[in-house]
């Protein structure tokens, strides 16, 4: 009797992950032992903007449903982006005269406390990343009431400001334990390299090394969870200052000759380099922070014309951007994109690598919906352009004078110090990865003497993050990328 033929179905190589903390905890286990070919356009994304444009990832066959993308849709073939927290048009909120501000503050405090309780429920030893800003100070007040076992940890990463004094004063007055960690570029980079094999995906946020440093410190101290104050800007709003308006007007997508940056005194001046580079950027991409590689540099680094395909990834956001009516509305969308693709991943990827839990209380559904729909505009951004007056009032209930740092860097990292101390190591990575980034070695050699300029050190940082991660996947037998995009 003939044996019936058996049809073997090939497993679908596509993987889709829900990565938005606004939708709950993120699970990266579907990536265990999988990933597929690396995506050259995503590499271009990182070099151009320090993150991969969602819904794409560093892997060609892995898509991510971050905020704005429906995880039930086909993100490989027809992704659509819808931003839920628009400022124009905005929902009809109560008038300022129709609400009792004191009761607003009480409700905000109660909802924040409930959000802390829910998000830290599985943690036995939570650590709060206390940056010294409004959000982390407000969060510390709630943590002191709901999780008094919380440790506070502040990072001193730059010379521009010292956030430790104010953060320590806040923690002590609230009865919370506080510690500080001073940035040492070599220690942070070694900690990053140690976790690279266990990081599920790749992003190059300019605070990623700070996070690698902080989360390793927490794990070594016996902590099992990290509380982060990220997540409220998109529904409170993000005022646009004059500097930001001028920069976006300067952005012209101009093709600038590389020799402009070779001339003295331009190549010795961060400001001059930054302004010139802005002329070559897309106006919307100028909203994203940091100095990054130009399109021409990216094509040389990759040894192929890929940067234009990276720019094309903006198209999925164009309809949402067209609906914005103000500079603040456009900045809010840009903040949501960068937050989803860079700011959250720096915490998600590092904590995943170390087996830590991650809590984002400001992403809590009840809290964010109440703020977005029930708080008057004047308590989101006041008439003078100050953001989060409601949060300021919440802090003022506990502190006669607002103790947070008014101008802060939020986990700054010593970029020039990293370049000075680890140039040879990164150059060695570039030599080893010449099949993946054939132009990296040449760029490093040409710009070796310019690393005391933060403009060039920022680009060095992007290579320092990207090269070892790519090499770790190549060593594990991951196939090289194909000429598909």
């Amino acid at each position: 009797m003939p044996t019936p033929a058996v049809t073997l179905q090939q497993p679908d190589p596509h993987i889709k992950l829900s990565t938005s903390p606004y939708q709950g905890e993120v699970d990266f286990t579907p990536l265990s032992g999988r990933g597929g070919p690396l995506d050259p356009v995503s590499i271009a994304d990182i070099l151009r903007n320090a993150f991969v444009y969602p819904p794409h990832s560093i892997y060609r066959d892995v898509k991510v449903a971050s905020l704005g993308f429906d995880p039930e849709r086909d993100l490989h073939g027809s992704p659509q982006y819808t931003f839920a927290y628009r400022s124009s048009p905005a929902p009809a909120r109560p008038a300022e005269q129709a609400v009792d501000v004191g009761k607003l503050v009480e409700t905000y405090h109660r909802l924040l406390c409930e959000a802390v309780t829910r998000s830290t429920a599985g943690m036995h030893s939570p650590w709060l990343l206390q940056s010294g800003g409004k959000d982390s100070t407000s969060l510390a007040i709630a943590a002191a009431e709901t999780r008094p076992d919380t440790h506070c940890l502040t990072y001193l990463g730059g010379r521009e400001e010292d956030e430790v004094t104010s953060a320590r004063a806040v923690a002590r007055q609230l009865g919370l334990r506080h510690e500080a960690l001073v940035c040492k570029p070599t220690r942070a980079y070694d900690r990053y390299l140690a976790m690279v094999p266990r990081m599920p995906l790749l992003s190059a946020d300019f605070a990623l090394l700070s996070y690698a440093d902080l989360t390793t410190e927490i794990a070594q101290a016996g902590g099992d969870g990290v509380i982060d104050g990220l997540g409220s800007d998109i529904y409170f709003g993000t005022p646009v200052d004059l500097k930001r308006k001028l920069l976006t007007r300067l952005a012209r997508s101009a093709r600038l000759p590389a020799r402009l940056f070779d001339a003295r005194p331009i190549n010795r001046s961060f400001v001059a380099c930054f302004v010139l580079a802005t002329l070559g950027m897309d106006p919307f991409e100028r909203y994203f922070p940091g100095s990054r590689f130009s399109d021409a540099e990216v094509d040389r680094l990759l040894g192929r014309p890929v940067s234009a395909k990276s720019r094309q990834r903006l198209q999925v956001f164009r309809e949402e951007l067209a609906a914005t009516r103000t500079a603040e509305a456009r900045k809010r969308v840009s903040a949501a994109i960068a937050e989803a693709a860079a700011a959250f991943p720096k915490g998600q990827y590092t904590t995943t690598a170390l087996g830590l839990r991650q809590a984002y209380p400001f992403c809590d559904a009840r809290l964010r919906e109440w703020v977005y729909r029930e708080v008057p505009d004047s308590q989101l951004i006041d008439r003078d352009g100050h953001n989060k007056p409601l949060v300021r009032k919440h802090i003022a209930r506990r502190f006669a004078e607002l103790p947070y740092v008014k101008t802060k860097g939020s986990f700054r990292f010593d970029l020039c110090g990293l370049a000075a101390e680890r140039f040879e190591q990164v150059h060695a990575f570039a030599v080893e990865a010449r099949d993946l980034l054939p132009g990296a070695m040449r760029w490093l050699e040409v710009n070796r003497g310019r690393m005391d300029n933060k403009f060039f050190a920022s680009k060095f940082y992007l290579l320092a993050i990207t090269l070892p991660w790519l090499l770790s996947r190549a060593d594990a037998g991951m196939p090289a990328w194909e000429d598909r995009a």
Side-chain angles (χ1 to χ4, degrees), residues 45 51-57 64 66-67 69 313 316-317 337 340-341:
D45 284 351
F51 59 78
V52 179
Y53 270 122
H56 309 284
S57 81
V64 296
S66 59
L67 180 68
F69 291 98
R313 288 183 168 178
V316 74
F317 306 105
I337 296 169

Side-chain angles (χ1 to χ4, degrees), residues 109-132:
H109 176 74
R110 174 177 59 81
L111 291 175
L112 183 58
C113 285
E114 291 173 359
V116 171
T117 299
R118 280 191 289 270
S119 62
T120 63
M123 297 181 185
H124 299 290
S125 178
W127 286 64
L128 168 64
L129 301 183
Q130 193 184 10
S131 69

